[in-house]
Amino acid sequence: MKKRLLLIGFALAGMLAGCQDVLVHELSPDQRAQQKDSVWTVRIEAFKGEGAGTKGLDIGDGGLDNTTVLRSIWKENEPVLVYLGADSIGTLTASPDPSDAHKATLSGTVTTSGITAGTTTLTLRTPRNEWDYTGQVGLLLNSNDGNHPGAANRSIENKYHYTLAENVLVTDVSNGTITTENASFANQQSIYRINFRFQHNGAGHVYDITAKRIWITAADGGLVQSVAPNGASTTGTIDVILDDARTDPFFVALRNNNTTADEDLKFKVMDNDGVTYYGAKTVPAAYKAGTFVSMKNTRLTGRLELSVSSETVSTAL
């Protein structure tokens, strides 16, 4: 009886093994890997152009106030977000090329399924999940906001200068690793360096404005406040509140949905005494997408002379 049971057991084991072998061979190696484990190792060679920089900014000669160029560079461990369609599937980190900081290797893991070599494309973006231009304080570099380290840093370098590599083709999927073609990142906004002067009605004496708060709008209303995962944008006024009133230039990242025509940027500026100035400056179409634009000494010609005052109020009961 024991011998018969053993024979039956061996027969069942052989049948099950045979079924498993058939099932395995119905799937490709890539499909088996995806069903077994949806966490993938990724390695991508990435490049940034020579235009206005991304999360890493390198300032040319002349310092912040006078440089004519911002160079794109990768920084060690710079985060790069990976998307499959509108879904965020992981974060890679950058290892810059020691001889050329415009180049880097991006590596890390993503969690997903449905990856097919030769068909699937990925989108890569820096520097954060939220694509939002609101809350700017006029600071360009991380070091300009030393009291707010890490993620709390409010500089353009840390929060507001987005770059994108779209349609990065997956070229190989095997052994738990995804390989893609090289990724080229493009700037998604321009960086403006601005300070203001006032000349009443465009004539007479000209003097510096000590700016504290600046409202910026585009003539056709296309300045972007935020971008949704599906690419839809919310547009409106960009409100910049400087930590300290200044006559020196400040910096702001502006994305404009209209990049094909010259257009006025409209400014409303409140100084440290509460006096409000207004005016506009034309921006050529060529400077509206992914460039560094210097608008030093932008001249405003209107003024609303209502100053801020403090009063003590007594209530009679």
Side-chain angles (χ1 to χ4, degrees), residues 2 16 27 34 57 68 123 132 150 156 162 178-179 190 241 256 264 266 268 270 276 282:
K2 290 183 179 179
L16 289 173
L27 300 175
Q34 288 196 50
L57 294 176
T68 59
T123 298
D132 192 327
I156 291 172
Y162 300 91
I178 293 173
T179 305
S190 289
I241 304 177
N256 197 326
D264 282 353
K266 299 181 178 181
K268 183 172 74 171
M270 185 177 71
T276 300
T282 301

Side-chain angles (χ1 to χ4, degrees), residues 34-255:
Q34 288 196 50
Q35 294 200 2
K36 179 182 177 182
D37 191 354
S38 61
V39 178
W40 297 84
T41 298
V42 181
R43 182 182 176 89
I44 301 173
E45 299 301 319
F47 303 87
K48 294 180 181 177
E50 291 285 352
T54 63
K55 186 173 183 292
L57 294 176
D58 183 33
I59 306 302
D61 294 339
L64 287 179
D65 290 348
N66 298 304
T67 185
T68 59
V69 62
L70 299 180
R71 290 185 290 264
S72 295
I73 60 171
W74 289 100
K75 286 191 170 182
E76 190 68 40
N77 296 322
E78 179 176 345
V80 179
L81 307 163
V82 184
Y83 295 83
L84 180 60
D87 297 326
S88 177
I89 60 173
T91 301
L92 310 180
T93 56
S95 297
D97 185 322
S99 62
D100 185 356
H102 294 96
K103 303 175 184 178
T105 299
L106 312 180
S107 58
T109 60
V110 299
T111 303
T112 187
S113 59
I115 300 290
T116 303
T119 301
T120 301
T121 60
L122 303 176
T123 298
L124 312 175
R125 191 179 78 213
T126 65
R128 57 181 179 142
N129 270 310
E130 297 78 14
W131 193 338
D132 192 327
Y133 294 101
T134 62
Q136 297 189 58
V137 294
L139 303 176
L140 180 64
L141 303 177
N142 290 1
S143 57
N144 300 147
D145 194 26
N147 292 327
H148 297 82
N153 191 284
R154 302 163 301 159
S155 66
I156 291 172
E157 183 178 19
N158 188 60
K159 291 186 69 175
Y160 298 107
H161 195 33
Y162 300 91
T163 62
L164 200 64
E166 297 183 280
N167 300 317
V168 179
L169 182 67
V170 174
T171 56
D172 185 68
V173 182
S174 59
N175 300 319
T177 299
I178 293 173
T179 305
T180 75
E181 63 183 0
N182 292 344
S184 180
F185 284 74
N187 302 320
Q188 299 302 298
Q189 62 287 302
S190 289
I191 295 177
Y192 292 75
R193 177 178 57 197
I194 312 173
N195 66 330
F196 299 100
R197 309 190 80 190
F198 176 69
Q199 185 180 42
H200 186 61
N201 292 331
H205 181 66
V206 179
Y207 62 87
D208 295 334
I209 297 173
T210 306
K212 173 62 179 176
R213 186 170 184 177
I214 305 94
W215 294 264
I216 307 172
T217 57
D220 72 351
L223 282 189
V224 175
Q225 294 176 327
S226 62
V227 182
N230 64 2
S233 61
T234 299
T235 59
T237 299
I238 297 297
D239 183 359
V240 181
I241 304 177
L242 308 179
D243 287 344
D244 300 298
R246 70 181 74 169
T247 58
D248 295 333
F250 65 94
F251 294 83
V252 60
L254 299 177
R255 176 180 172 90

Side-chain angles (χ1 to χ4, degrees), residues 267-301:
F267 301 99
K268 183 172 74 171
V269 179
M270 185 177 71
D271 71 8
N272 58 330
D273 294 319
V275 178
T276 300
Y277 304 83
Y278 52 90
K281 188 174 182 66
T282 301
V283 179
Y287 297 130
K288 293 167 69 175
T291 65
F292 172 47
V293 185
S294 183
M295 297 175 60
K296 292 172 65 176
N297 298 321
T298 293
R299 193 165 299 185
L300 306 182
T301 57

